[in-house]
Amino acid sequence: NHFRRFSSMLRTSRVEELLPDEGYIAEVVLIVTSLGAKRQQHMASRRAADLLEIKRCHYKVIDVNKDTGPNTDAEKACLVALKDGGKLKAPEDSGDAETADAFHLPQVFIDGHNMGDDTDLQNLEDDGLLTDILTRNKCPSCDKAEQRTEATCACGNLRELLAGLQSLQDQYEYVCMGDDEEDMETRFLWGAGRTLEAQQE
């Protein structure tokens, strides 16, 4: 039973250090590739995930690697909706985003707003803005400083992309899948863990 194993493992400081900070209540969705052959995009995806993990921020993943994802109808529908709505950024040299291969990767969405790529995410952190956005104390779209509990703002530009999916509870259960602490330390514990690390195994 995953929940029983998780309860036992929670007694160790190692797990407590790795669990996401529940203060970060904004929905973070990373559109990434786990395809190692696309080295530049793969490493950029890894950097975005690394930054969020260092902050202990829970995030959700849509992997555009055709061999491993998107894995659910909801993820596929999300990509289609983002593409049809013109929300996906294309590489500077392509001019469009008609196919998954044409997406600029990674792309980071916070409460449905496209924040850019790994470099843009790092810039937000360096400027001291990322924490307020992740805690919903600042709107990622209009920059209004106001405490929010939902993915809504007066600007009307926010919404959750994968509401109810890839939840914190899902990630807690994933932590429990390791048989011992050594195995657990090799896992990517939340978000892209099941996607990006699988490419390396």
Side-chain angles (χ1 to χ4, degrees), residues 85-103:
K87 302 295 187 181
L88 287 174
K89 296 180 180 179
E92 293 181 0
D93 59 354
S94 75
D96 62 40
E98 291 301 317
T99 67
D101 290 336
F103 298 162

Side-chain angles (χ1 to χ4, degrees), residues 30-51:
L30 297 187
I31 299 179
V32 302
T33 180
S34 62
L35 183 61
K38 293 182 175 292
R39 181 171 179 79
Q40 184 175 358
Q41 295 175 330
H42 175 72
M43 294 306 296
S45 296
R46 178 68 259 188
R47 286 192 295 272
D50 283 346
L51 173 57

